[in-house]
Amino acid sequence: MGKKDQAYQLRSLKKRIAGGIKTYTIASGKGGVGKTSLSVNLALTLGKMGIRTIILDGDLGLANVDVMFGLYPKYHLGYVIKGDKKLSDILVSVQENVYMLPGGTGLQEMADLDAKRQLKLIEELASLEEYCDVLLIDTGAGVHRSVVVFAIASDSLLLVTSPDPTAIRDCYGLLKAVLGKSSTPSELHLVINMVKSDKEAKEVASRLQLTAKDFLGIDINMAGYILKDFHVEEAIKMGMPFVISHPDCEASKCVAWIAKNIFNPEGVDSVLNAPSGRGIKAFCMRLLKQFQLR
Ligand SMILES: Nc1ncnc2c1ncn2[C@@H]1O[C@H](COP(=O)(O)OP(=O)(O)OP(=O)(O)O)[C@@H](O)[C@H]1O
Ligand SMILES: [Mg+2]
């Protein structure tokens, strides 16, 4: 048996035992703090680690994951919902182990389908588990309902903030909105972006962690930080994610460290250690339940 076949069998076994792929929502509260930048570069880093990742653009207003990848897909989930395209037609292969699923307004439209078509679509989405271990969902700015819904439906919430006091306040506001709902993600991670130093990141993180503990009674894992790095802007101008254009820059090293902290905490072989969660079906069901509560 080849190495790839072995890896595939191990993954299948693991999913059968553990449930399904793990879903992560990346959200912030305030806009422009680096959610899309983190989502895209993290997805590529995970792909390199052997963790098969699908990135879903959940920014229902200004979707731009495709722009950051330098890709311009023609179709999105809305076409699958209308029945014009199959899911495999809209899934874009970005690099080995990394796919992009252009969401468009599809996930919201899903809530308006009749139950039979919803189930058919969910079955189709669940077939993505063959392709991936992890689903990352990039979300839009603000504490909008759709962002909260994605966060609640996911296995894990990755909060992103910059050291800017308004960003910290909005990050906390989003956390409060998510925790105000009856069901919450089982894991909470924090990433501080655009920091000047390790010291600044730790100060911001401990302030947020202490406030969350004191007022909301919850623990947030400090997953890491990303230094403010001019290569990030440079890469965007080049139309390329920075982990590809500048793999050795500070921001790339920080993303690698975050990936290891969240996805490979024990340091064991990444195939065996690819995170498992409740799976795509459970994610969709929770998503629909929340959308239907509107
Ligand atoms: N570590 C960093 N160093 C320097 N610039 C950064 C860093 N991270 C992000 N930026 C810059 O911040 C800007 C916003 O980034 P990005 O689009 O990822 O934020 P966002 O949170 O997704 O925004 P929105 O809320 O509008 O979706 C980009 O121009 C990006 O170049
Ligand atoms: Mg964005």
Side-chain angles (χ1 to χ4, degrees):
M1 201 188 312
K3 253 195 158 176
K4 275 203 165 169
D5 294 335
Q6 267 179 2
Y8 178 80
Q9 287 210 344
L10 280 171
R11 280 190 172 110
S12 304
L13 180 68
K14 188 167 176 269
K15 275 181 199 153
R16 273 210 305 280
I17 296 167
I21 71 153
K22 197 160 174 179
T23 49
Y24 293 80
T25 286
I26 298 173
S28 66
K30 192 172 192 299
V33 297
K35 294 177 292 297
T36 307
S37 181
L38 173 66
S39 309
V40 162
N41 288 286
L42 187 59
L44 293 167
T45 305
L46 293 178
K48 280 252 160 79
M49 284 163 68
I51 297 178
R52 301 168 310 163
T53 305
I54 295 187
I55 180 166
L56 168 71
D57 201 330
D59 189 338
L60 305 177
L62 254 181
N64 56 7
V65 167
D66 46 2
V67 180
M68 279 213 190
F69 275 127
L71 295 168
Y72 298 91
K74 276 213 304 245
Y75 306 110
H76 56 73
L77 206 56
Y79 287 81
V80 180
I81 285 171
K82 278 196 212 101
D84 294 341
K85 291 281 159 200
K86 282 200 260 149
L87 199 57
S88 53
D89 296 331
I90 67 159
L91 199 65
V92 183
S93 169
V94 180
Q95 69 162 44
E96 195 183 2
N97 295 332
V98 183
Y99 296 88
M100 177 177 66
L101 182 64
T105 49
L107 287 168
Q108 262 184 336
E109 285 164 23
M110 191 163 112
D112 299 323
L113 294 175
D114 61 51
K116 202 172 150 202
R117 287 174 66 207
Q118 271 176 357
L119 273 176
K120 189 170 170 280
L121 185 69
I122 290 174
E123 289 294 341
E124 211 173 339
L125 282 167
S127 70
L128 291 176
E129 301 211 335
E130 286 292 313
Y131 295 87
C132 73
D133 305 308
V134 160
L135 177 70
L136 291 185
I137 303 148
D138 177 34
T139 62
V143 186
H144 290 303
R145 209 169 157 274
S146 64
V147 178
V148 177
V149 166
F150 280 127
I152 291 168
S154 301
D155 294 310
S156 181
L157 173 61
L158 238 87
L159 290 163
V160 187
T161 184
S162 70
D164 173 28
T166 60
I168 299 173
R169 185 199 59 203
D170 291 355
C171 181
Y172 183 72
L174 173 70
L175 185 59
K176 248 172 78 175
V178 171
L179 293 172
K181 302 281 173 187
S182 52
S183 55
T184 50
S186 48
E187 265 181 27
L188 292 166
H189 297 286
L190 178 64
V191 171
I192 320 288
N193 189 22
M194 296 192 249
V195 291
K196 289 194 294 279
S197 62
D198 177 84
K199 185 167 170 273
E200 182 181 39
K202 283 182 180 149
E203 277 168 10
V204 173
S206 66
R207 215 178 329 146
L208 253 167
Q209 283 171 314
L210 281 176
T211 314
K213 186 78 184 162
D214 288 350
F215 293 96
L216 305 171
I218 48 140
D219 293 309
I220 312 177
N221 172 47
M222 166 60 163
Y225 61 83
I226 308 176
L227 289 166
K228 194 168 173 65
D229 183 344
F230 70 93
H231 294 103
V232 176
E233 281 298 339
E234 227 169 62
I236 287 178
K237 282 186 203 140
M238 291 163 74
M240 236 187 252
F242 58 80
V243 295
I244 293 182
S245 62
H246 303 90
D248 298 320
C249 75
E250 292 299 332
S252 296
K253 287 183 201 156
C254 292
V255 172
W257 175 53
I258 291 167
K260 288 214 179 81
N261 279 343
I262 300 178
F263 298 92
N264 201 9
E266 312 300 330
V268 297
D269 176 61
S270 60
V271 169
L272 272 172
N273 204 42
S276 46
R278 293 173 287 193
I280 287 186
K281 263 192 202 169
F283 168 72
C284 289
M285 292 300 198
R286 287 194 302 271
L287 204 64
L288 282 177
K289 191 172 154 206
Q290 290 299 325
F291 275 135
Q292 279 159 354
L293 288 177
R294 57 190 166 176

